[in-house]
Amino acid sequence: MNYLIGIDVGTSATKTVLFDEAGNVVATASSEYPMYQPENGWAEQKPEDWRNGVLATLKTVAEAVENKEDIKGIGLSGQMHGLVMLDEAGQVIRPSIIWCDQRTGKEVEDMLEIMPRKRWIEITANPPLTGWTAAKILWVRKNEPENYKRCRHILLPKDYIRYILTGEFATEVSDASGMQLLDVPGRCWSKEVLDALSIDPSLLGRVYESCEVTGTLLPEIAEKTGLTCEVKVVGGAGDNAAAAVGTGIVRDRTAFTTIGTSGVVFAHSSKVSIDPKGRVHTCCCAVPGAWHIMGVTQGAGLSLKWFKDQLCQDYAAQAEESGKDVYDLINEDVNKIPAGSERLIYLPYLMGERTPHLDPDCRGVFFGLSAIHTKAHMLRAVMEGVSYSLCDCNQILKEMGVEVTQMMACGGGGKSPNWRQMLADLYNCTVKTVKQSEGPALGAAILAGVGCGIYPSVEEACDKIIREENSTEPMEERVKTYEAYHKVYQSLYHSLKDDYKKLAKL
């Protein structure tokens, strides 16, 4: 029996999963780590925490297989857009500025002065964005010139792990698409962009397709983890591109919604399709020669976690006492509140917003609070607010002519029947889940299997492995209710837009 490993370097934890070649989970391990916010709107993590988590979890899952030579490949997935800077010795220079960081508003303005917005979209398929890597590089160069001077290698989070495992400086097309440095239609670094930003191309790794082999394990890593030096490490994919593979979204007319820390509506496309307004992101996907279109909600699961951590100590105590999961208790109470939360609306802009506003300054709001509202109302409003935002993403895909006949739900939020029902009602379509719950880790392992020759292609691997499980149908009455609430939700941002700017300047 052949085995494959998928590693997902997430924002809250690294999860490493060992699969057999049929896609069954054999062993799993995770390692949590903190996120640091030195200032309002900033977000950083220590790459060393990712490294330690990966090495520990690799060792744990490897123990599940007696003959280590049967473990053939490793696929990497992880949070996108993070900036990892290494010096000449390969040591980390500063904490990684991660995907949800919003400090780079001025750098985005600089990028638009350097090159017209239209040209940015033509080359990188997206306008300059605060959360993406290029603006972070410019911020470090401007604000920390000594750190920039020391920099010899620029990597994304999962690609730093690749370097740790193999010693190779490399990336792949899906994750590199989110750096704002890639020619997305051409699937290679853009000389025009690098020249315009005065970024030395030698700082960047070689670009691979997601299922190509990028190296094998270093002897010292093999010894630490109990694996062999013959284990192949493939390109892998950014978390959303890997999740697409892990849920079978590898052909046209298929899409998924994921509710993790951020929220994503992701559709596969065999051709490059770019929103001229830049509201959704077009990137290379993990299937060679194909792309995906993606709308992103910055504060999806983050919104519910924030509310739980700050205001739900009673739920946490009840969960500990009863032995239940705290989110199960929350969902039980949310289910008792009617659709619309009795005229309470939440805007999920805790970390600014990407789709459709591209506004780093907007912030979270509860609108319509009255004395009748309880904590359960607020929790439902949080879940609905995230769903309204995801509906915004889906509507833009429809505007672009992307016809979706199959919507999958995944991520932690996808496990919630309440959240799946909200999505089905707002999308007015069937929302399904798959039996496999490992998402990005499974997708990364499938890519490793293709690279190792175990599967002939990504599509055929998904046909063999992925199976549907639950199906949620829209409820006609709620569809109408949410249509009305969603219109109010959409109008609120435009009413508050100027005030967000004033608040940011205080």
Side-chain angles (χ1 to χ4, degrees):
M1 173 69 77
N2 294 316
Y3 297 90
L4 300 162
I5 294 174
I7 299 173
D8 179 23
V9 184
T11 308
S12 58
T14 281
K15 186 173 187 180
T16 300
V17 187
L18 175 73
F19 300 91
D20 64 23
E21 63 184 85
N24 300 308
V25 175
V26 177
T28 182
S30 63
S31 175
E32 295 185 353
Y33 32 71
M35 179 176 74
Y36 303 94
Q37 294 189 270
E39 295 188 29
N40 187 10
W42 290 24
E44 298 182 348
Q45 289 187 314
K46 295 180 179 179
E48 298 90 341
D49 289 343
W50 306 332
R51 176 198 64 201
N52 295 340
V54 166
L55 295 180
T57 54
L58 267 179
K59 186 175 188 298
T60 298
V61 301
E63 292 170 352
V65 177
E66 185 174 349
N67 185 1
K68 301 301 188 282
E69 292 181 357
D70 291 340
I71 301 176
K72 302 298 185 183
I74 294 174
L76 302 171
S77 174
Q79 51 175 295
M80 297 177 68
H81 317 304
L83 172 63
V84 181
M85 306 180 78
L86 305 183
D87 63 17
E88 193 167 359
Q91 298 300 307
V92 174
I93 293 172
R94 70 171 324 283
S96 173
I97 306 174
I98 66 170
W99 61 274
C100 54
D101 188 282
Q102 295 293 318
R103 76 184 70 180
T104 59
K106 182 61 173 69
E107 285 66 37
V108 166
E109 293 176 11
D110 293 343
M111 291 170 71
L112 290 169
E113 290 179 6
I114 291 168
M115 187 185 294
R117 189 174 190 270
K118 181 181 178 183
R119 187 60 181 149
W120 280 109
I121 293 174
E122 289 171 348
I123 299 172
T124 71
N126 300 278
L129 296 162
T130 52
W132 288 30
T133 318
K136 295 168 185 168
I137 296 170
L138 301 187
W139 186 92
V140 173
R141 186 165 70 191
K142 182 191 299 181
N143 294 278
E144 300 175 356
E146 289 304 311
N147 282 337
Y148 189 81
K149 189 176 180 181
R150 291 172 56 202
C151 182
R152 294 294 178 272
H153 302 282
I154 290 172
L155 296 171
L156 294 160
K158 82 170 193 324
D159 299 324
Y160 169 70
I161 297 303
R162 183 192 322 281
Y163 165 68
I164 294 296
L165 297 181
T166 69
E168 298 291 334
F169 296 106
T171 188
E172 48 70 44
V173 291
S174 73
D175 217 357
S177 295
M179 293 182 75
Q180 208 99 58
L181 302 175
L182 196 78
D183 175 346
V184 170
R187 305 172 86 87
C188 61
W189 297 125
S190 168
K191 183 178 186 302
E192 182 178 344
V193 168
L194 294 175
D195 287 347
L197 299 180
S198 299
I199 295 174
D200 187 342
S202 69
L203 296 175
L204 305 173
R206 178 180 169 184
V207 182
Y208 289 82
E209 288 292 334
S210 297
C211 51
E212 286 188 287
V213 176
T214 61
T216 54
L217 290 188
L218 293 167
E220 58 268 31
I221 297 300
E223 184 178 353
K224 284 181 181 178
T225 59
L227 297 166
T228 71
C229 293
E230 284 71 44
V231 174
K232 296 175 180 177
V233 179
V234 301
D239 51 4
N240 291 300
V245 175
T247 50
I249 307 304
V250 294
R251 291 185 173 90
D252 287 348
R253 302 168 70 89
T254 61
F256 75 79
T257 295
T258 184
I259 302 176
T261 304
S262 63
V264 170
V265 180
F266 177 116
H268 180 93
S269 178
S270 56
K271 63 180 182 179
V272 182
S273 182
I274 298 173
D275 176 24
K277 297 179 182 178
R279 297 164 297 174
V280 293
H281 313 313
T282 297
C283 298
C284 303
C285 76
V287 178
W291 290 262
H292 66 253
I293 306 164
M294 179 173 76
V296 180
T297 297
Q298 290 275 90
L302 175 66
S303 288
L304 188 60
K305 184 179 186 301
W306 163 77
F307 195 93
K308 171 186 73 72
D309 290 348
Q310 301 304 321
L311 299 166
C312 292
Q313 286 77 13
D314 52 343
Y315 282 99
Q318 186 183 346
E320 187 173 351
E321 184 178 318
S322 64
K324 292 185 176 181
D325 183 275
V326 64
Y327 287 109
D328 288 340
L329 295 175
I330 286 171
N331 270 282
E332 287 175 10
D333 281 357
V334 164
N335 196 40
K336 299 171 186 175
I337 305 300
S341 303
E342 296 191 285
R343 300 194 182 109
L344 180 61
I345 296 175
Y346 169 74
L347 308 186
Y349 307 146
L350 298 184
M351 301 296 293
E353 189 55 294
R354 277 160 68 170
T355 306
H357 307 309
L358 301 177
D359 187 346
D361 294 326
C362 59
R363 289 295 181 265
V365 171
F366 278 103
F367 176 77
L369 271 172
S370 77
I372 70 164
H373 290 128
T374 65
K375 190 179 295 184
H377 284 88
M378 298 178 77
L379 283 162
R380 184 175 185 97
V382 167
M383 296 174 73
E384 289 177 335
V386 171
S387 302
Y388 296 142
S389 182
L390 292 167
C391 186
D392 284 346
C393 300
N394 193 48
Q395 285 184 345
I396 294 168
L397 296 184
K398 289 181 179 179
E399 286 178 28
M400 294 172 65
V402 178
E403 187 177 348
V404 173
T405 57
Q406 176 176 302
M407 180 67 75
M408 293 292 182
C410 57
K415 297 176 184 178
S416 164
N418 285 321
W419 237 329
R420 293 200 304 270
Q421 188 64 60
M422 291 172 191
L423 294 176
D425 296 336
L426 276 157
Y427 296 163
N428 197 14
C429 77
T430 304
V431 173
K432 299 179 178 180
T433 62
V434 296
K435 289 184 178 180
Q436 294 83 357
S437 61
E438 300 303 334
L442 175 58
I446 288 172
L447 295 170
V450 176
C452 294
I454 295 172
Y455 314 121
S457 69
V458 177
E459 295 94 330
E460 290 173 84
C462 289
D463 290 343
K464 177 181 178 180
I465 292 170
I466 308 300
R467 295 290 179 268
E468 292 180 8
E469 188 174 39
N470 295 313
S471 182
T472 303
E473 300 295 330
M475 300 172 68
E476 186 176 351
E477 184 178 336
R478 289 189 181 184
V479 169
K480 294 177 181 177
T481 297
Y482 280 135
E483 280 180 0
Y485 274 94
H486 187 218
K487 288 177 182 176
V488 177
Y489 167 88
Q490 289 177 312
S491 72
L492 288 172
Y493 170 78
H494 298 288
S495 298
L496 294 169
K497 183 177 180 180
D498 291 341
D499 292 316
Y500 283 136
K501 300 300 179 188
K502 293 174 185 175
L503 184 65
K505 292 177 181 178
L506 293 180

